[in-house]
Amino acid sequence: MGGFGIGERQVLVDGRADGPRRAPGGLVALALGGFGIGLTEFLIAGLLPQVASDFAVSEAAAGRLISGYALSVAVGAIALTAATARLPRKQVLVGLVALFVVGNLLSAIAPSYSVMLLGRIVAALCHGSFFGIGSLVARGLVEPERKSRAVAVMFAGLTLANVLGVPFGALVGERWGWRAAFWAITAIGVLALAAIVLLVPGRAGTVPGGGTPSGLRDQLRAFRSSQVWLTLAATALGYGGMFGAFSYIAYTFTEVSGFSPADVAWLLMVYGVGLVVGNLVGGRAADRDRDRALILALLGLTVTLALFGLLAGSAVASAVLVFLMGVTGFATVPGMITRVTDAARGAALAASANVSASNVGNALGAWLGGLAITAGLGYTAPLYTGAALTLAALIVMLVAARTPPSAASSAPAGSKSG
């Protein structure tokens, strides 16, 4: 009963039986797309020196290949989801992955830094919408009681990319050059595109329990729900706490914990394994009692970051705590996605806004952590600022759990209530 078996039951798609269960194949296709998108985001960090040297640009200019990507994720998540509000979700996913392929192909063949940056921006535009719309499709492929686990399966691709992205990029780049890494990602994108076309049901994506907002006006009406805004706030603050601390974790390891720079790579992999575990455990826990699971995860992350700040001088404690940081941090992801989409009655714009909120949180956390270091508070300061942000997220989540749904979220999707 706990897993996803092939041919066990029929899956309801748009309220009708869709034949033998197709969820496993569809979820694998979505996870493959998430893996490719995650690789695009993470592997560039290990390739920056080569790219900067090849195009004869400064380290700061090369760094804009990362910051430009992040900004484009936040913009694309809202803009593309709004622009495609009335289109079938499978069709939108196919278009998004095609955009991803084009962006990485541009990066692979880029004759100049400007074209490389353009390729990064094009690839990034699909990121937020893919995970927002993909999460709705994923949960529509399984029974309602397994929706958070289905979302976790899709995000498993992203978490694996976090573990493998930087070392994959560094290995391929060292042996065959940085362009080879982008050719490899382009190939993964083509495979994901084919898998989505073949394995995702054509009418997938309706959230059980009611109609799905289709027009932009209906999508925007979902934001009348206080639960949508509370969940977005908790997402931004929770992500901000974790990634604010993570942004400076290499300095914490080398300057406080006593690790050598060579140790940072395997410590980051420990963190990445924590993300994988947290994603899968969080999805299962959210299907049992979502708000309780989110509250416990945020509480665990707050305590972990505070303890990390206190015990960062111990190498052993740091290795254990960075793993727990990954577990507790990413355990919130499946539940937050299903929570915001439930509150929004399946509005894809709300799901994509959740991805944008996480990116806003990342920027906020990194900014506050940097301010703390600049103020002379040391390399453990981002851990404490992260703990403060996640504590704020916990408070917001406690309020959300005690706040009744607003009229907008309890009314049938697409109705004129309010």
Side-chain angles (χ1 to χ4, degrees), residues 217-259:
R217 182 175 298 179
D218 286 340
Q219 298 273 333
L220 292 173
R221 188 176 291 116
F223 287 89
R224 295 180 183 179
S225 168
S226 61
Q227 288 292 345
V228 169
W229 289 105
L230 287 168
T231 308
L232 292 177
T235 295
L237 292 167
Y239 264 85
M242 179 175 68
F243 283 102
F246 178 73
S247 297
Y248 304 95
I249 202 70
Y251 295 103
T252 306
F253 286 143
T254 56
E255 303 298 326
V256 182
S257 304
F259 289 105

Side-chain angles (χ1 to χ4, degrees), residues 4-396:
F4 295 114
I6 298 176
E8 290 176 5
R9 299 181 183 86
Q10 292 184 325
V11 180
L12 291 180
V13 180
D14 285 354
R16 293 191 300 274
D18 194 44
R21 172 181 281 202
R22 300 173 65 182
L27 290 177
V28 170
L30 294 172
L32 181 59
F35 179 67
I37 291 173
L39 283 180
T40 301
E41 180 179 16
F42 299 123
L43 68 71
I44 189 66
L47 300 173
L48 281 185
Q50 290 186 43
V51 174
S53 176
D54 200 13
F55 290 130
V57 298
S58 67
E59 291 84 351
R64 284 195 284 274
L65 296 173
I66 296 176
S67 59
Y69 184 97
L71 179 61
S72 299
V73 169
V75 173
I78 301 299
L80 288 184
T81 304
T84 59
R86 290 190 176 276
L87 297 177
R89 286 175 177 166
K90 178 178 178 178
Q91 181 178 325
V92 174
L93 286 177
V94 169
L96 291 172
V97 178
L99 192 66
F100 164 81
V101 171
V102 170
N104 282 288
L105 181 60
L106 275 176
S107 295
I109 65 175
S112 66
Y113 168 80
S114 297
V115 176
M116 174 74 171
L117 181 59
L118 176 62
R120 293 286 293 167
I121 291 172
V122 169
L125 288 175
C126 78
H127 184 126
S129 291
F130 178 86
F131 285 109
I133 296 171
S135 66
L136 291 173
V137 172
R139 58 178 286 167
L141 293 173
V142 300
E143 299 90 336
E145 65 271 16
R146 302 185 184 197
K147 59 191 176 185
S148 293
R149 273 172 282 184
V151 171
V153 171
M154 184 189 71
F155 273 93
L158 179 64
T159 57
L160 287 174
N162 194 297
V163 177
L164 302 174
V166 174
F168 172 82
L171 176 63
V172 173
E174 179 182 348
R175 293 194 175 187
W176 298 290
W178 64 266
R179 293 181 188 275
F182 283 96
W183 278 113
I185 296 175
T186 301
I188 292 172
V190 172
L191 288 175
L193 183 63
I196 289 172
V197 169
L198 294 173
L199 299 176
V200 173
R203 298 178 63 83
T206 293
V207 175
T212 300
S214 55
L216 181 58
R217 182 175 298 179
D218 286 340
Q219 298 273 333
L220 292 173
R221 188 176 291 116
F223 287 89
R224 295 180 183 179
S225 168
S226 61
Q227 288 292 345
V228 169
W229 289 105
L230 287 168
T231 308
L232 292 177
T235 295
L237 292 167
Y239 264 85
M242 179 175 68
F243 283 102
F246 178 73
S247 297
Y248 304 95
I249 202 70
Y251 295 103
T252 306
F253 286 143
T254 56
E255 303 298 326
V256 182
S257 304
F259 289 105
S260 70
D263 290 324
V264 173
W266 70 261
L267 287 164
L268 292 180
M269 291 193 72
V270 169
Y271 168 77
V273 171
L275 296 181
V276 175
V277 173
N279 176 55
L280 297 176
V281 171
R284 183 173 292 273
D287 279 335
R288 291 173 180 158
D289 188 332
R290 185 170 57 201
D291 282 359
R292 182 172 182 269
L294 291 172
I295 288 168
L296 289 176
L298 289 170
L299 176 61
L301 181 58
T302 302
V303 172
T304 296
L305 291 174
L307 284 176
F308 203 162
L310 291 171
L311 303 176
S314 165
V316 173
S318 294
V320 172
L321 288 167
V322 78
F323 171 76
L324 293 177
M325 189 172 96
V327 172
T328 54
F330 224 80
T332 64
V333 172
M336 288 295 188
I337 285 282
T338 57
R339 193 178 202 283
V340 79
T341 50
D342 278 351
R345 296 302 298 271
L349 193 59
S352 295
N354 199 69
V355 179
S356 289
S358 68
N359 280 271
V360 170
N362 293 353
L364 174 65
W367 177 64
L368 291 176
L371 285 181
I373 292 174
T374 303
L377 300 179
Y379 289 116
T380 59
L383 293 165
Y384 291 120
T385 58
L389 285 172
T390 54
L391 178 60
L394 174 61
I395 293 171
V396 171

